[in-house]
């Protein structure tokens, strides 16, 4: 038993180090050249935030493994030698909440501050914004915790009188509990509904902070995740369908490039006008709307330029470039098909295991258990993959809604061209939704993750919290997730196969 626990601790340390190294690698390769050798504080926040998000996802499989260390315990104190998972969960998610609501906003305000101002003034401005956030969040949390920070557990009072031990062993019967006749059955066996009562207790403040952060994350998760679970695979598949079929002629290339050049000049003029308005202090609702519109048009323009370069490769290695383009679209098709299989499995599992009462089957829970029988960590690895896939779906859904509805600021992640504010935004989104992903997975895979510390926090406590429990009792988030997934599928079925035409003349809203 001790050897198993020691191995679990060693694996946890090694995985943490590998996650940190991998996130540093992502930062180096995704960062924009303008951020090289500067913006060190935002970079630290990005690496640390991504590490916390990844570790939080991996903690659920670790929680399952930690539970298995106690499954064959000979004495009651053996489980005290395992990892203190409940404490680790609370620490990780308190850090998560602090990063999302305090540290990342401060880093974004500081990074996006007027570069013409001194460092001290930018820090002061960022602290003012974050100080306001701290006061507001503190007041809201304190008031809510003081008023409704309690959990209501439904319990049933059971009792029974003692029965004399029979002299004849033959009088024992499994069909007659607690005695040898119907008249002596236990009171616990025949308890009526009137014996039910509500047991109320105050939850701890850290658990309450985690619960409220989970609610906020669940709203975003049900929206972005529901859209992304469909748009992630279908976006790749329809990208293959809309791929360039052949190389265009030089005259066609010149014509298209000229139109894109005109569009670029219009956007530059619009961006300059918005910057001048910002300097004049005119940062109202219309200004923010125009900024989002310009960001959307810039992103679409970059996509048009990339598509044009794919259709007309130039240079000495033009044939090689075209071959790589073809291979890239084939890879998108393969990944899209694999992702579609995972998405269908997720949606089917939610419907048959969470929305249907009683569940038709435990489905993916059984799959993970059988994979564990094949090899100890195979089921755990598959379990972790399905949780990570939901995070990818959240990012895909945020990107799609940002482009179509423009109600959030668009922060695309691009290899070698991602600014720190985009990094920070996506890290904040991942951190906020990672809490909900864990809660969602702990519920969806309740049979596989039973008796874990995560299920105690996100299952029993969260789903019994006063004022919140009804959202989980009636599966509001799961239903919203499935509905949005269905609407996204309909959208792709109607519009997904069509090629997007380059947008026309761009004008700011007046």
């Amino acid at each position: 038993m001790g050897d198993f626990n020691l191995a679990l601790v060693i694996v946890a340390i090694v995985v943490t180090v590998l996650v940190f190294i991998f996130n540093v690698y992502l930062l180096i390769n995704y960062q924009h050249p303008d951020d090289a050798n500067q913006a060190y504080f935002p970079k630290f926040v990005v690496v640390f935030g991504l590490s916390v998000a990844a570790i939080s996802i991996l903690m659920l499989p670790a929680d399952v493994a930690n539970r298995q260390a106690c499954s064959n315990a000979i004495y009651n104190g053996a489980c005290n030698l395992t990892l203190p998972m409940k404490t680790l969960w609370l620490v990780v998610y308190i850090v998560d909440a602090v990063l999302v609501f305090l540290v990342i906003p401060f880093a974004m305000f500081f990074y996006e501050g007027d570069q013409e101002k001194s460092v001290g003034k930018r820090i002061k401005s960022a602290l003012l914004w974050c100080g306001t956030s701290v006061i507001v969040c503190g007041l809201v949390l304190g008031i809510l915790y003081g008023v409704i920070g309690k959990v209501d557990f439904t319990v049933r009072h059971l009792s029974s009188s003692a029965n004399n031990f029979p002299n004849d062993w033959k009088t024992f019967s499994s069909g007659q509990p607690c005695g040898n006749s119907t008249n002596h059955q236990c009171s616990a066996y025949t308890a009526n509904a009137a014996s039910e009562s509500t047991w109320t207790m105050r939850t701890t403040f850290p658990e309450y902070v985690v619960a409220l952060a989970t609610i906020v994350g669940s709203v975003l998760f049900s929206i972005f995740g529901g859209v992304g679970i469909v748009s992630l695979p279908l976006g790749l598949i329809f990208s293959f369908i809309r791929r360039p079929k052949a190389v265009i002629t030089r005259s066609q290339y010149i014509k298209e490039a000229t139109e894109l050049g005109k569009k670029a000049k219009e956007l530059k003029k619009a961006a300059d006008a918005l910057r001048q308005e910002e300097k004049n202090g005119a940062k109202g609702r219309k200004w923010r709307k125009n900024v989002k519109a310009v960001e959307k048009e810039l992103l679409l323009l970059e996509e048009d330029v990339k598509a044009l370069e794919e259709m007309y490769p130039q240079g000495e290695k033009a044939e090689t470039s075209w071959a790589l383009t073809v291979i890239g679209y084939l890879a998108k098709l393969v990944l899209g098909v694999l992702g579609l299989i995972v998405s269908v499995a997720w949606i089917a599992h939610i419907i048959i295991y969470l929305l249907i009462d009683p569940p038709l089957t435990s489905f993916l829970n059984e799959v993970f258990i059988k994979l564990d029988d094949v090899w100890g960590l195979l089921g755990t690895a598959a379990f972790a993959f399905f949780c990570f896939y939901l995070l990818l779906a959240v990012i895909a859904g945020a990107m799609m809604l940002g482009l179509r509805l423009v109600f959030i600021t668009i922060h695309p992640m691009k290899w070698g061209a991602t600014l720190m504010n985009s990094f920070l935004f996506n890290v904040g989104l991942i951190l906020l939704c990672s809490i909900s992903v864990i809660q969602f997975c702990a519920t969806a895979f309740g049979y596989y993750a039973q008796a874990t510390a995560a299920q105690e926090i996100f299952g029993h406590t969260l789903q019994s919290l006063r004022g919140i429990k009804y959202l989980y009792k009636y599966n509001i988030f799961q239903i919203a997730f499935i509905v949005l997934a269905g609407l996204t599928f309909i959208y792709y079925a109607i519009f997904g196969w069509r090629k997007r035409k380059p947008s026309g003349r761009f004008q700011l809203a007046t």
Side-chain angles (χ1 to χ4, degrees), residues 386-420:
F386 270 78
C387 293
F388 268 117
Y389 186 82
L390 283 185
L391 272 182
L392 295 177
V394 168
I395 298 298
M399 279 298 300
M400 179 182 176
L401 291 178
L403 285 173
R404 298 294 181 271
L405 303 181
V406 202
F407 73 90
I408 61 171
T409 303
I410 306 169
H411 289 281
M413 297 287 292
K414 300 178 183 178
W415 187 269
T418 305
L419 295 172
M420 280 302 110

mmCIF file of all heavy atoms in Angstrom, residues 386-420:
data_model
loop_
_atom_site.group_PDB
_atom_site.id
_atom_site.type_symbol
_atom_site.label_atom_id
_atom_site.label_comp_id
_atom_site.label_asym_id
_atom_site.label_seq_id
_atom_site.Cartn_x
_atom_site.Cartn_y
_atom_site.Cartn_z
ATOM 1 N N PHE A 386 -11.182 12.802 -22.603
ATOM 2 C CA PHE A 386 -12.553 13.279 -22.785
ATOM 3 C C PHE A 386 -12.768 14.605 -22.044
ATOM 4 O O PHE A 386 -13.499 15.477 -22.519
ATOM 5 C CB PHE A 386 -13.555 12.226 -22.298
ATOM 6 C CG PHE A 386 -13.978 11.266 -23.368
ATOM 7 C CD1 PHE A 386 -13.153 10.220 -23.743
ATOM 8 C CD2 PHE A 386 -15.187 11.413 -24.021
ATOM 9 C CE1 PHE A 386 -13.529 9.335 -24.741
ATOM 10 C CE2 PHE A 386 -15.578 10.537 -25.021
ATOM 11 C CZ PHE A 386 -14.738 9.494 -25.388
ATOM 12 N N CYS A 387 -12.120 14.778 -20.884
ATOM 13 C CA CYS A 387 -12.240 16.041 -20.156
ATOM 14 C C CYS A 387 -11.521 17.164 -20.897
ATOM 15 O O CYS A 387 -12.051 18.277 -21.024
ATOM 16 C CB CYS A 387 -11.670 15.884 -18.747
ATOM 17 S SG CYS A 387 -12.616 14.766 -17.684
ATOM 18 N N PHE A 388 -10.309 16.885 -21.417
ATOM 19 C CA PHE A 388 -9.566 17.891 -22.173
ATOM 20 C C PHE A 388 -10.314 18.280 -23.443
ATOM 21 O O PHE A 388 -10.262 19.438 -23.877
ATOM 22 C CB PHE A 388 -8.178 17.362 -22.536
ATOM 23 C CG PHE A 388 -7.123 17.714 -21.540
ATOM 24 C CD1 PHE A 388 -6.449 16.730 -20.839
ATOM 25 C CD2 PHE A 388 -6.796 19.039 -21.285
ATOM 26 C CE1 PHE A 388 -5.470 17.053 -19.910
ATOM 27 C CE2 PHE A 388 -5.824 19.380 -20.365
ATOM 28 C CZ PHE A 388 -5.154 18.386 -19.676
ATOM 29 N N TYR A 389 -11.005 17.328 -24.042
ATOM 30 C CA TYR A 389 -11.742 17.611 -25.275
ATOM 31 C C TYR A 389 -12.820 18.659 -25.024
ATOM 32 O O TYR A 389 -13.090 19.505 -25.887
ATOM 33 C CB TYR A 389 -12.360 16.323 -25.817
ATOM 34 C CG TYR A 389 -13.015 16.486 -27.169
ATOM 35 C CD1 TYR A 389 -12.252 16.455 -28.333
ATOM 36 C CD2 TYR A 389 -14.387 16.675 -27.286
ATOM 37 C CE1 TYR A 389 -12.839 16.612 -29.582
ATOM 38 C CE2 TYR A 389 -14.987 16.825 -28.525
ATOM 39 C CZ TYR A 389 -14.209 16.787 -29.669
ATOM 40 O OH TYR A 389 -14.799 16.951 -30.896
ATOM 41 N N LEU A 390 -13.433 18.626 -23.844
ATOM 42 C CA LEU A 390 -14.448 19.626 -23.526
ATOM 43 C C LEU A 390 -13.846 21.023 -23.448
ATOM 44 O O LEU A 390 -14.471 22.003 -23.862
ATOM 45 C CB LEU A 390 -15.129 19.282 -22.192
ATOM 46 C CG LEU A 390 -16.159 18.158 -22.209
ATOM 47 C CD1 LEU A 390 -16.809 18.043 -20.843
ATOM 48 C CD2 LEU A 390 -17.222 18.399 -23.272
ATOM 49 N N LEU A 391 -12.614 21.135 -22.924
ATOM 50 C CA LEU A 391 -11.950 22.437 -22.879
ATOM 51 C C LEU A 391 -11.672 22.953 -24.286
ATOM 52 O O LEU A 391 -11.850 24.136 -24.578
ATOM 53 C CB LEU A 391 -10.642 22.338 -22.092
ATOM 54 C CG LEU A 391 -10.721 22.557 -20.581
ATOM 55 C CD1 LEU A 391 -9.338 22.470 -19.963
ATOM 56 C CD2 LEU A 391 -11.369 23.880 -20.246
ATOM 57 N N LEU A 392 -11.235 22.073 -25.177
ATOM 58 C CA LEU A 392 -11.016 22.471 -26.571
ATOM 59 C C LEU A 392 -12.324 22.920 -27.211
ATOM 60 O O LEU A 392 -12.353 23.873 -28.000
ATOM 61 C CB LEU A 392 -10.415 21.306 -27.360
ATOM 62 C CG LEU A 392 -9.013 20.850 -26.951
ATOM 63 C CD1 LEU A 392 -8.591 19.636 -27.776
ATOM 64 C CD2 LEU A 392 -8.005 21.979 -27.119
ATOM 65 N N ALA A 393 -13.414 22.250 -26.862
ATOM 66 C CA ALA A 393 -14.724 22.629 -27.397
ATOM 67 C C ALA A 393 -15.123 24.023 -26.916
ATOM 68 O O ALA A 393 -15.724 24.799 -27.664
ATOM 69 C CB ALA A 393 -15.776 21.606 -26.983
ATOM 70 N N VAL A 394 -14.790 24.369 -25.675
ATOM 71 C CA VAL A 394 -15.104 25.698 -25.146
ATOM 72 C C VAL A 394 -14.391 26.774 -25.953
ATOM 73 O O VAL A 394 -14.986 27.790 -26.341
ATOM 74 C CB VAL A 394 -14.710 25.783 -23.657
ATOM 75 C CG1 VAL A 394 -14.752 27.222 -23.173
ATOM 76 C CG2 VAL A 394 -15.649 24.929 -22.817
ATOM 77 N N ILE A 395 -13.095 26.576 -26.235
ATOM 78 C CA ILE A 395 -12.328 27.554 -27.014
ATOM 79 C C ILE A 395 -12.900 27.675 -28.426
ATOM 80 O O ILE A 395 -13.055 28.782 -28.965
ATOM 81 C CB ILE A 395 -10.851 27.159 -27.074
ATOM 82 C CG1 ILE A 395 -10.252 27.148 -25.661
ATOM 83 C CG2 ILE A 395 -10.060 28.109 -27.959
ATOM 84 C CD1 ILE A 395 -10.269 28.474 -24.971
ATOM 85 N N ALA A 396 -13.238 26.529 -29.044
ATOM 86 C CA ALA A 396 -13.811 26.550 -30.395
ATOM 87 C C ALA A 396 -15.150 27.273 -30.411
ATOM 88 O O ALA A 396 -15.450 28.040 -31.332
ATOM 89 C CB ALA A 396 -13.970 25.114 -30.917
ATOM 90 N N GLY A 397 -15.978 27.047 -29.387
ATOM 91 C CA GLY A 397 -17.266 27.718 -29.317
ATOM 92 C C GLY A 397 -17.134 29.216 -29.112
ATOM 93 O O GLY A 397 -17.883 30.002 -29.702
ATOM 94 N N ALA A 398 -16.164 29.635 -28.284
ATOM 95 C CA ALA A 398 -15.941 31.068 -28.068
ATOM 96 C C ALA A 398 -15.490 31.745 -29.352
ATOM 97 O O ALA A 398 -15.914 32.865 -29.666
ATOM 98 C CB ALA A 398 -14.900 31.276 -26.964
ATOM 99 N N MET A 399 -14.623 31.082 -30.121
ATOM 100 C CA MET A 399 -14.160 31.648 -31.381
ATOM 101 C C MET A 399 -15.303 31.785 -32.375
ATOM 102 O O MET A 399 -15.439 32.805 -33.057
ATOM 103 C CB MET A 399 -13.053 30.774 -31.973
ATOM 104 C CG MET A 399 -11.682 31.007 -31.378
ATOM 105 S SD MET A 399 -11.112 32.696 -31.652
ATOM 106 C CE MET A 399 -11.121 32.763 -33.438
ATOM 107 N N MET A 400 -16.150 30.760 -32.465
ATOM 108 C CA MET A 400 -17.243 30.796 -33.428
ATOM 109 C C MET A 400 -18.253 31.893 -33.085
ATOM 110 O O MET A 400 -18.662 32.680 -33.950
ATOM 111 C CB MET A 400 -17.954 29.448 -33.476
ATOM 112 C CG MET A 400 -19.125 29.422 -34.453
ATOM 113 S SD MET A 400 -20.002 27.858 -34.471
ATOM 114 C CE MET A 400 -21.331 28.254 -35.620
ATOM 115 N N LEU A 401 -18.642 31.986 -31.813
ATOM 116 C CA LEU A 401 -19.611 33.003 -31.415
ATOM 117 C C LEU A 401 -19.008 34.398 -31.530
ATOM 118 O O LEU A 401 -19.709 35.363 -31.835
ATOM 119 C CB LEU A 401 -20.079 32.748 -29.984
ATOM 120 C CG LEU A 401 -20.940 31.495 -29.779
ATOM 121 C CD1 LEU A 401 -21.285 31.325 -28.315
ATOM 122 C CD2 LEU A 401 -22.210 31.558 -30.616
ATOM 123 N N GLY A 402 -17.709 34.517 -31.281
ATOM 124 C CA GLY A 402 -17.058 35.809 -31.425
ATOM 125 C C GLY A 402 -17.070 36.292 -32.862
ATOM 126 O O GLY A 402 -17.231 37.487 -33.131
ATOM 127 N N LEU A 403 -16.918 35.377 -33.804
ATOM 128 C CA LEU A 403 -16.921 35.752 -35.215
ATOM 129 C C LEU A 403 -18.330 35.991 -35.746
ATOM 130 O O LEU A 403 -18.559 36.881 -36.565
ATOM 131 C CB LEU A 403 -16.249 34.650 -36.046
ATOM 132 C CG LEU A 403 -14.723 34.565 -35.965
ATOM 133 C CD1 LEU A 403 -14.222 33.330 -36.701
ATOM 134 C CD2 LEU A 403 -14.090 35.811 -36.558
ATOM 135 N N ARG A 404 -19.290 35.205 -35.289
ATOM 136 C CA ARG A 404 -20.642 35.304 -35.848
ATOM 137 C C ARG A 404 -21.469 36.396 -35.172
ATOM 138 O O ARG A 404 -22.175 37.143 -35.830
ATOM 139 C CB ARG A 404 -21.360 33.946 -35.689
ATOM 140 C CG ARG A 404 -20.684 32.798 -36.431
ATOM 141 C CD ARG A 404 -20.742 32.973 -37.929
ATOM 142 N NE ARG A 404 -20.120 31.857 -38.622
ATOM 143 C CZ ARG A 404 -18.828 31.781 -38.953
ATOM 144 N NH1 ARG A 404 -18.026 32.788 -38.630
ATOM 145 N NH2 ARG A 404 -18.328 30.736 -39.577
ATOM 146 N N LEU A 405 -21.404 36.472 -33.841
ATOM 147 C CA LEU A 405 -22.274 37.381 -33.109
ATOM 148 C C LEU A 405 -21.549 38.611 -32.579
ATOM 149 O O LEU A 405 -22.173 39.600 -32.237
ATOM 150 C CB LEU A 405 -22.922 36.638 -31.924
ATOM 151 C CG LEU A 405 -23.731 35.388 -32.293
ATOM 152 C CD1 LEU A 405 -24.330 34.773 -31.040
ATOM 153 C CD2 LEU A 405 -24.830 35.729 -33.298
ATOM 154 N N VAL A 406 -20.234 38.543 -32.474
ATOM 155 C CA VAL A 406 -19.389 39.649 -32.021
ATOM 156 C C VAL A 406 -19.866 40.220 -30.680
ATOM 157 O O VAL A 406 -19.885 41.411 -30.481
ATOM 158 C CB VAL A 406 -19.325 40.783 -33.070
ATOM 159 C CG1 VAL A 406 -18.067 41.620 -32.853
ATOM 160 C CG2 VAL A 406 -19.297 40.245 -34.484
ATOM 161 N N PHE A 407 -20.294 39.349 -29.740
ATOM 162 C CA PHE A 407 -20.665 39.853 -28.422
ATOM 163 C C PHE A 407 -19.551 39.630 -27.404
ATOM 164 O O PHE A 407 -19.689 40.001 -26.236
ATOM 165 C CB PHE A 407 -21.975 39.209 -27.930
ATOM 166 C CG PHE A 407 -21.845 37.775 -27.513
ATOM 167 C CD1 PHE A 407 -21.545 37.450 -26.210
ATOM 168 C CD2 PHE A 407 -22.044 36.760 -28.431
ATOM 169 C CE1 PHE A 407 -21.432 36.125 -25.825
ATOM 170 C CE2 PHE A 407 -21.938 35.445 -28.046
ATOM 171 C CZ PHE A 407 -21.634 35.129 -26.735
ATOM 172 N N ILE A 408 -18.443 39.024 -27.855
ATOM 173 C CA ILE A 408 -17.249 38.932 -27.027
ATOM 174 C C ILE A 408 -16.072 39.393 -27.867
ATOM 175 O O ILE A 408 -16.116 39.372 -29.097
ATOM 176 C CB ILE A 408 -17.002 37.494 -26.524
ATOM 177 C CG1 ILE A 408 -16.809 36.535 -27.719
ATOM 178 C CG2 ILE A 408 -18.104 37.015 -25.620
ATOM 179 C CD1 ILE A 408 -16.349 35.157 -27.314
ATOM 180 N N THR A 409 -15.027 39.841 -27.198
ATOM 181 C CA THR A 409 -13.832 40.254 -27.912
ATOM 182 C C THR A 409 -13.132 39.030 -28.482
ATOM 183 O O THR A 409 -12.972 38.026 -27.797
ATOM 184 C CB THR A 409 -12.882 41.001 -26.962
ATOM 185 O OG1 THR A 409 -13.577 42.116 -26.402
ATOM 186 C CG2 THR A 409 -11.668 41.518 -27.721
ATOM 187 N N ILE A 410 -12.729 39.107 -29.736
ATOM 188 C CA ILE A 410 -12.108 37.970 -30.403
ATOM 189 C C ILE A 410 -10.618 37.943 -30.066
ATOM 190 O O ILE A 410 -9.914 38.923 -30.256
ATOM 191 C CB ILE A 410 -12.301 38.059 -31.923
ATOM 192 C CG1 ILE A 410 -13.785 38.224 -32.259
ATOM 193 C CG2 ILE A 410 -11.736 36.833 -32.621
ATOM 194 C CD1 ILE A 410 -14.042 38.590 -33.699
ATOM 195 N N HIS A 411 -10.161 36.816 -29.558
ATOM 196 C CA HIS A 411 -8.748 36.654 -29.223
ATOM 197 C C HIS A 411 -8.255 35.324 -29.795
ATOM 198 O O HIS A 411 -8.133 34.331 -29.073
ATOM 199 C CB HIS A 411 -8.540 36.683 -27.705
ATOM 200 C CG HIS A 411 -8.734 38.028 -27.096
ATOM 201 N ND1 HIS A 411 -7.776 39.018 -27.148
ATOM 202 C CD2 HIS A 411 -9.777 38.561 -26.417
ATOM 203 C CE1 HIS A 411 -8.206 40.095 -26.528
ATOM 204 N NE2 HIS A 411 -9.420 39.854 -26.085
ATOM 205 N N PRO A 412 -7.971 35.277 -31.077
ATOM 206 C CA PRO A 412 -7.537 34.018 -31.688
ATOM 207 C C PRO A 412 -6.124 33.647 -31.259
ATOM 208 O O PRO A 412 -5.289 34.513 -30.993
ATOM 209 C CB PRO A 412 -7.594 34.316 -33.192
ATOM 210 C CG PRO A 412 -7.379 35.798 -33.283
ATOM 211 C CD PRO A 412 -8.035 36.366 -32.060
ATOM 212 N N MET A 413 -5.872 32.343 -31.182
ATOM 213 C CA MET A 413 -4.537 31.832 -30.889
ATOM 214 C C MET A 413 -3.886 31.446 -32.212
ATOM 215 O O MET A 413 -4.380 30.585 -32.928
ATOM 216 C CB MET A 413 -4.628 30.617 -29.973
ATOM 217 C CG MET A 413 -5.222 30.911 -28.604
ATOM 218 S SD MET A 413 -4.111 31.830 -27.530
ATOM 219 C CE MET A 413 -2.857 30.589 -27.250
ATOM 220 N N LYS A 414 -2.765 32.110 -32.528
ATOM 221 C CA LYS A 414 -2.068 31.863 -33.782
ATOM 222 C C LYS A 414 -0.618 31.513 -33.512
ATOM 223 O O LYS A 414 0.032 32.145 -32.675
ATOM 224 C CB LYS A 414 -2.139 33.091 -34.700
ATOM 225 C CG LYS A 414 -3.549 33.505 -35.073
ATOM 226 C CD LYS A 414 -3.516 34.759 -35.928
ATOM 227 C CE LYS A 414 -4.925 35.224 -36.260
ATOM 228 N NZ LYS A 414 -4.910 36.477 -37.058
ATOM 229 N N TRP A 415 -0.128 30.528 -34.233
ATOM 230 C CA TRP A 415 1.252 30.085 -34.075
ATOM 231 C C TRP A 415 2.205 31.221 -34.471
ATOM 232 O O TRP A 415 2.210 31.688 -35.589
ATOM 233 C CB TRP A 415 1.501 28.864 -34.941
ATOM 234 C CG TRP A 415 2.842 28.217 -34.727
ATOM 235 C CD1 TRP A 415 3.991 28.478 -35.391
ATOM 236 C CD2 TRP A 415 3.142 27.199 -33.789
ATOM 237 N NE1 TRP A 415 4.999 27.690 -34.938
ATOM 238 C CE2 TRP A 415 4.510 26.885 -33.944
ATOM 239 C CE3 TRP A 415 2.402 26.498 -32.823
ATOM 240 C CZ2 TRP A 415 5.155 25.905 -33.181
ATOM 241 C CZ3 TRP A 415 3.037 25.532 -32.069
ATOM 242 C CH2 TRP A 415 4.385 25.247 -32.242
ATOM 243 N N GLY A 416 2.992 31.690 -33.500
ATOM 244 C CA GLY A 416 3.967 32.733 -33.763
ATOM 245 C C GLY A 416 3.391 34.122 -33.925
ATOM 246 O O GLY A 416 4.106 35.040 -34.339
ATOM 247 N N ALA A 417 2.102 34.329 -33.594
ATOM 248 C CA ALA A 417 1.495 35.654 -33.799
ATOM 249 C C ALA A 417 0.403 35.944 -32.771
ATOM 250 O O ALA A 417 -0.583 36.607 -33.075
ATOM 251 C CB ALA A 417 0.928 35.751 -35.215
ATOM 252 N N THR A 418 0.583 35.475 -31.530
ATOM 253 C CA THR A 418 -0.426 35.686 -30.491
ATOM 254 C C THR A 418 0.072 36.701 -29.484
ATOM 255 O O THR A 418 1.096 36.485 -28.825
ATOM 256 C CB THR A 418 -0.752 34.360 -29.763
ATOM 257 O OG1 THR A 418 -1.131 33.373 -30.720
ATOM 258 C CG2 THR A 418 -1.884 34.563 -28.778
ATOM 259 N N LEU A 419 -0.633 37.811 -29.374
ATOM 260 C CA LEU A 419 -0.284 38.826 -28.397
ATOM 261 C C LEU A 419 -0.668 38.377 -26.984
ATOM 262 O O LEU A 419 -1.531 37.505 -26.804
ATOM 263 C CB LEU A 419 -0.979 40.144 -28.740
ATOM 264 C CG LEU A 419 -0.550 40.808 -30.057
ATOM 265 C CD1 LEU A 419 -1.454 41.983 -30.374
ATOM 266 C CD2 LEU A 419 0.910 41.259 -29.986
ATOM 267 N N MET A 420 -0.037 38.989 -25.992
ATOM 268 C CA MET A 420 -0.239 38.561 -24.611
ATOM 269 C C MET A 420 -1.674 38.790 -24.138
ATOM 270 O O MET A 420 -2.184 38.017 -23.323
ATOM 271 C CB MET A 420 0.728 39.302 -23.695
ATOM 272 C CG MET A 420 2.135 38.745 -23.678
ATOM 273 S SD MET A 420 2.204 37.012 -23.183
ATOM 274 C CE MET A 420 2.640 36.256 -24.735
#
